[in-house]
Amino acid sequence: MTPELQRMDWMPSPPLAPIDSPLDLDHLSRMTLGNADLEQEVLAMFAEQAVRLMAAMAALPAEAGALAHKLKGSARGIGAFAVADAAESLETAIRAGQNQRHALAALKEAVTEARAAIEAILKP
């Protein structure tokens, strides 16, 4: 290994194989440096943001692609990779002028599953 590569701190990538949960909790832990309070805070923020963005995208306005892109980034940050993939599919459908309603429905389902997992984690 070259000296430059030896000095780098490597961050694990998201899993290549699907996980059984809508959230990759190991990824979330890495992103929050293992801080449980921060994990709960970002999960709550994501759940609220997802509701707002989904409501804003409901009628597929002109800015739906940008809203989907924002949701995709947030989802990747917390380990909600199914949401991120569905948001990316919506972005692609919008750019290609393809079946946007189907992509939006798939995104809504992924967000619903992620929010249910978040609610279960945040329950006192």
Side-chain angles (χ1 to χ4, degrees), residues 8-27:
M8 294 180 102
D9 290 329
W10 293 97
M11 180 177 211
S13 297
L16 296 176
I19 55 175
D20 292 338
S21 170
L23 299 174
D24 181 339
L25 298 178
D26 291 334
H27 178 79

Side-chain angles (χ1 to χ4, degrees), residues 42-54:
V42 297
L43 287 174
M45 287 173 28
F46 175 80
E48 291 173 17
Q49 179 191 43
V51 168
R52 285 192 317 271
L53 291 173
M54 291 305 298

